Amino acid sequence: RQSADSLSFIPFISFCREGCFSPISPEACPLVQSFMCHNRTFILDGHVQLKTGLQTQERHLFLFTDLLVVAKSKSHSHFKLKCQARLCEMWTAFCTEEVCEGSTDPERSFVLGWPTTNCVANFRSAEQKETWLSFLQSRIREEKEKDYPKSIPLKIIAKDVGTCAYSKTLSVTNVDTANDVILMALQQLGINGSEKDYKLWVISGREDAPYPLIGHEYPFGIKMSHIRDAMPHGSKHCACPRQLQGSFLTEQLPQELQCQFVLKPSRLAVCQQLNDLSQKSFKRKRSIINWAFWRGPGTHLDNAPLSSTSAAPGKLFGLLLTAICEDDNLPKPLL
């Protein structure tokens, strides 16, 4: 196996769906040709299953020195582009149970993510998984080293913490995880607790509803993704556009390109209380399905003004729990 440090000597490798090698060259694939340029090198491609929640999609990955392209296979040489991600804004992890429902083989899977997305990448074999993980981690690390700027100011809004809503602006680097940012925010806000007690939520103009980060994601990459998308067409796909100025690091962006970070108490304690009330024993996972249940209507965090009082406690769907519980048992729809 060749190391990721000698990319210029790596031939085109194509893993077909049956796991064998395909004699397709990159020049024969129009999608690869469309992404080639003087400062970008093609590395490898392969078939993968991407799992999120209960959904599984058959996809084909194309790895370049600075980009990951996700496509849907139409034939052995034609693909439909589904999405693309800058490697400097990506992350990998192994918390597969946090991302998808059902069992996954850890020998063939890992979590692959980029701004506003977490999914489980499931490969045909352990060897393919290790190859992809090695190249991705190496390329992500190298692209982060070339990243510009290395740190940005990040505004954190604290909500449902005490009786007030307030904010702090932190200096966040491109290697700080969501858990790191939570700890920094707690220290700056003078709040006792750990990263397990709080969640960092993202309100993005790209999404219909806010969503919580698991903890391994890079808030820097999420914010910079929105900033880079506001750049002129010729430079926004560049990993480190030198045209970035202070004005782009402010909130003077179109609504659909803005994102906010909100610190809220973790719902794990609430889930535990619900478990104690239930007479049934079941395992609760913090999956995307649960996230959607937690966050409620998509406009709750987006449109709620920062006020000095919190929402009325003890209510769910507008009713008191005491009014909908019989013999201290939650209704079946809630369970």
Side-chain angles (χ1 to χ4, degrees):
R1 183 185 303 172
Q2 292 176 316
S3 68
D5 298 326
S6 57
L7 295 177
S8 59
F9 299 98
I10 296 175
F12 177 84
I13 304 174
S14 179
F15 296 106
C16 70
R17 297 192 178 195
E18 291 74 22
C20 61
F21 288 100
S22 172
I24 301 172
S25 66
E27 291 77 13
C29 179
L31 183 63
V32 172
Q33 291 179 351
S34 67
F35 282 95
M36 294 298 292
C37 60
H38 71 280
N39 60 349
R40 178 177 296 142
T41 303
F42 178 81
I43 302 176
L44 79 162
D45 80 318
H47 175 258
V48 69
Q49 285 184 332
L50 297 183
K51 299 182 178 183
T52 304
L54 292 172
Q55 187 180 34
T56 299
Q57 296 175 323
E58 303 291 333
R59 291 291 182 259
H60 208 85
L61 302 182
F62 294 90
L63 181 62
F64 297 84
T65 48
D66 63 333
L67 286 176
L68 179 70
V69 174
V70 181
K72 183 177 181 180
S73 175
K74 294 296 185 180
S75 68
H76 71 283
S77 61
H78 290 83
F79 302 86
K80 179 181 179 180
L81 176 66
K82 303 303 291 186
C83 66
Q84 64 189 74
R86 307 174 188 90
L87 293 179
C88 63
E89 298 167 355
M90 294 187 64
W91 51 77
T92 61
F94 301 98
C95 51
T96 56
E97 289 190 355
E98 305 280 353
V99 177
C100 75
E101 299 292 324
S103 61
T104 56
D105 184 357
E107 297 295 324
R108 299 187 294 114
S109 304
F110 61 87
V111 174
L112 180 62
W114 53 89
T116 72
T117 299
N118 267 306
C119 58
V120 174
N122 184 50
F123 294 89
R124 290 286 182 179
S125 67
E127 291 76 15
Q128 287 188 21
K129 174 246 185 174
E130 289 299 327
T131 297
W132 274 95
L133 183 61
S134 175
F135 275 114
L136 280 169
Q137 290 180 337
S138 176
R139 293 308 309 157
I140 290 173
R141 183 167 55 251
E142 185 165 335
E143 289 302 304
K144 283 186 173 294
E145 291 175 357
K146 297 190 298 184
D147 216 352
Y148 174 85
K150 287 290 191 298
S151 64
I152 58 172
L154 196 70
K155 184 178 180 180
I156 306 296
I157 302 170
K159 300 192 71 174
D160 297 335
V161 179
T163 58
C164 298
Y166 42 95
S167 65
K168 283 285 186 178
T169 299
L170 309 175
S171 178
V172 176
T173 72
N174 63 350
V175 295
D176 288 327
T177 65
N179 281 339
D180 294 332
V181 174
I182 290 174
L183 291 175
M184 285 190 287
L186 293 177
Q187 183 179 11
Q188 290 292 320
L189 294 168
I191 301 174
N192 293 325
S194 70
E195 70 277 9
K196 296 180 180 179
D197 302 319
Y198 295 87
K199 282 288 183 184
L200 192 63
W201 291 68
V202 178
I203 303 174
S204 170
R206 302 169 178 170
E207 305 293 328
D208 294 331
Y211 61 96
L213 300 179
I214 297 174
H216 61 268
E217 304 92 337
Y218 298 115
F220 176 99
I222 297 173
K223 182 69 174 181
M224 288 300 296
S225 171
H226 289 72
I227 294 173
R228 289 185 173 107
D229 284 346
M231 298 296 294
H233 177 74
S235 60
K236 71 177 184 177
H237 295 301
C238 179
C240 51
R242 295 289 171 176
Q243 297 93 332
L244 284 174
Q245 301 295 330
S247 59
F248 281 102
L249 298 179
T250 67
E251 302 303 322
Q252 307 303 316
L253 297 175
Q255 183 67 34
E256 66 274 10
L257 296 179
Q258 289 190 20
C259 70
Q260 290 182 310
F261 293 86
V262 179
L263 182 68
K264 294 173 66 70
S266 173
R267 296 300 181 97
L268 290 180
V270 176
C271 291
Q272 184 60 49
Q273 291 174 3
L274 294 178
N275 285 336
D276 294 339
L277 288 174
S278 174
Q279 294 179 349
K280 296 181 180 181
S281 175
F282 62 96
K283 182 179 180 181
R284 182 175 295 273
K285 296 179 181 179
R286 291 177 296 156
S287 68
I288 287 180
I289 293 177
N290 297 105
W291 295 349
F293 180 78
W294 292 345
R295 68 193 182 199
T299 57
H300 174 67
L301 284 177
D302 282 302
N303 298 329
L306 300 183
S307 62
S308 59
T309 58
S310 301
K315 289 188 177 182
L316 193 62
F317 301 125
L319 295 175
L320 291 171
L321 287 176
T322 54
I324 62 176
C325 294
E326 295 182 3
D327 299 325
D328 291 330
N329 294 323
L330 287 170
K332 289 183 178 180
L334 293 186
L335 294 177

